[in-house]
Amino acid sequence: MRHLIIRLLSICALTASGLSARALSAQQQPADSSKRDTTARALPTLQVTATAVATEARRIAQPTALLTGAELRRANSASLGETLQQIPGIRSLSMTTGIGKPVIRGLTNNRVVTLANGQRTETQQWGHDHSPNVESADAERLEVVKGPASVLYGSDALGGVVNVVRRPLPIAEHGERVTRGRIATAWNSAAHSPSLTLVGEGASAVGAGSLGWRLSGTGRRAVDLRTPGGIVPNTGNMTGYTEGALGWQGARADVTGTGSLRDERIQVADDPITAPNYTGRQQIRTLRGTVDANVRRGGQRLQLQAGIEQNRRAEFGDDRTKTVALGLLSRTASGFAHWHHTPIAGATGVFGLAVQHTRFSTFGSQTLIPDNTARSLGVYVLEQRNVGDFALSAGARHDWRTLSTPGNGVLGLLPTDRAFTATTGTLGAVYRPTSPLSVAVNVARGFRSPSASDLFANGFHEGTRAFEIGRADLRVESSVNVDAALRLRTTRVTGELTGYVNRIRDYIYLTPVGMPGRALDSLQIEQGNARLVGAELGAAVSLTRTLSLQTTADVVHATNTSDRTALPFVPPPRAVLTMRWDERAPGRHASLSSEWNTKQTRTFRSDFAPQAWNVVSTSAGFSRLTPRGLVHVDLSVRNLFDTRYRDFMSRYKEFADAAGRAFVLRVSADL
């Protein structure tokens, strides 16, 4: 049965490739916008993270991706990386069942900026295994920018940006009052993991405006991961998240305040051969507060945001002790001001200023990095203009950043001050954006300033189970990335084929030292140059009114050009083929998919590369309209045949299999 399904999927893949190729080569007439969209998977209509204003996706030169609606509901997982990894060019660097870091085109950690509703987060700055502590269970959409986005987001946006966008607060008009709610629950059998999200929100008309509010909470728990090779000990986790928002919306101004608290308890496994019966854990608490405001006058808009974030991470050597082995605490204040101006010489865009102040301190019995303070300031401009059949964009930015430490006797570090500057820019064009076939080209420069962990680390990191050594003379990373894309959208076929070259100067990376034969046990910071070359494909073909074939693929070839070796954490080539049946009016759906991952033949130093693997998954579900709203029921079976394999992007790949057959049941409803 399994071989028959795989053979059928292979035949379908050849069919889809032929249909996509013929569609891409055909000269289509513009689609009639008055007709209902019957595409199998329409390209995102609007995207704001990559641009200064909401822009139709086909008019954005830089590659972007969007997860929203049913796709986001079905993909939502315990970690941000796992939720996003179905997008071409994005993988998840996983560690235990609660940590999954987005890897965009072979770059991760603090080369990918994570935003919580537009607010920059700083929870990945202490190491390559530290997950972005952002909750997506009640997000309206996830927006992704692939490639450098430093013009809008400054340091660290060298590989890309992920923005977790909340739903806007309800609006009440003409004396009315709005009250509504949502509930979503899920169960994952691989880790016996239940989750529950509750949302209540409402609005009342107040004078000439509307006062809106929202309260939401999410809780999830997981026990040790089940795999075909057995249970992986000490991989459970528990997460609780609460959020409240209050906002006023008027004709010419609006202001919204949001506060959230996220508590996590994450168990961290280790190799049972080198560390038998290890029971270490992390306890993480993230507090976040944001105030957003907009003032509109005569076609112009002033957008302001101010935010604070506190992230406290305590790491323990075993599950019984209350003594903190390594404690890390950061307090960040950040903000930006954007002036969205009226057209100037036909161009619309934004002038912006962004500031950030972060204070890091450590506690516990171990010392990894010294206390330090980082400050940054950036000024920038990003403009867009349509000229005939071209959609043009251009931007520039300059950043100043300082990092200072009072020193640390344990680390043998004297008081130190470092200053970094960087100038970045972007230039893009999309040709014939209103036709079915468009061509996009984008050139962007990004940068990343060295973090305190890069510069000064010198100790055992309990969370990564490795001894880490920094390098105090690091320079700023800078990159130049060139993208070229073909995009197609007709009533039957949608697709995007993208190729890119990203050259990084002064690339900062961790290299293993000591203990030969073991990957990444002791790590030392080095610096060189790098080149990443890759391609991504996403296509969907409507075979009938209800049946469609979807395929995605991505590959990236990454080289340290200083010594001709491979780069770390770079995923192997992957292809996914999905046959989908959607009956929209009754709201029923079903799918069958197969994912192929090749063996990574270009490994970084002594890194371990598992064999190639293929898993088949399936899903089905339905939606029903009730007097209160929609009810959705979705059931998926991942790794249908309980295939035993190890994922190259798992930090446990040397001693643990990936999850076996997993039944995932999701039920959500409007109240």
Side-chain angles (χ1 to χ4, degrees), residues 20-50:
S20 299
R22 288 194 293 273
L24 284 169
S25 61
Q27 294 298 316
Q28 305 281 350
Q29 295 299 318
D32 184 357
S33 61
S34 65
K35 297 180 181 179
R36 182 175 63 88
D37 182 11
T38 58
T39 55
R41 178 184 291 176
L43 294 177
T45 54
L46 294 177
Q47 216 276 0
V48 297
T49 299

Side-chain angles (χ1 to χ4, degrees), residues 99-127:
I99 294 179
K101 296 167 64 69
V103 180
I104 302 179
R105 295 178 166 183
L107 298 175
T108 186
N109 193 34
N110 46 4
R111 293 186 183 90
V112 174
V113 168
T114 304
L115 307 173
N117 214 40
Q119 180 185 2
R120 183 185 175 111
T121 69
E122 292 293 297
T123 57
Q124 298 186 79
Q125 295 296 323
W126 287 315

Side-chain angles (χ1 to χ4, degrees), residues 469-483:
I469 306 170
R471 179 173 165 178
D473 63 346
L474 295 175
R475 300 174 296 277
V476 171
E477 280 188 2
S478 61
S479 71
V480 176
N481 183 88
V482 180
D483 277 285

Side-chain angles (χ1 to χ4, degrees), residues 527-563:
Q527 194 161 37
N529 297 325
R531 181 182 65 245
L532 296 94
V533 182
E536 300 151 4
L537 170 68
V541 181
S542 292
L543 303 177
T544 68
R545 185 181 63 85
T546 58
L547 193 64
S548 65
L549 193 62
Q550 302 168 2
T551 181
T552 63
D554 52 56
V555 59
V556 56
H557 185 279
T559 303
N560 184 332
T561 57
S562 298
D563 60 10

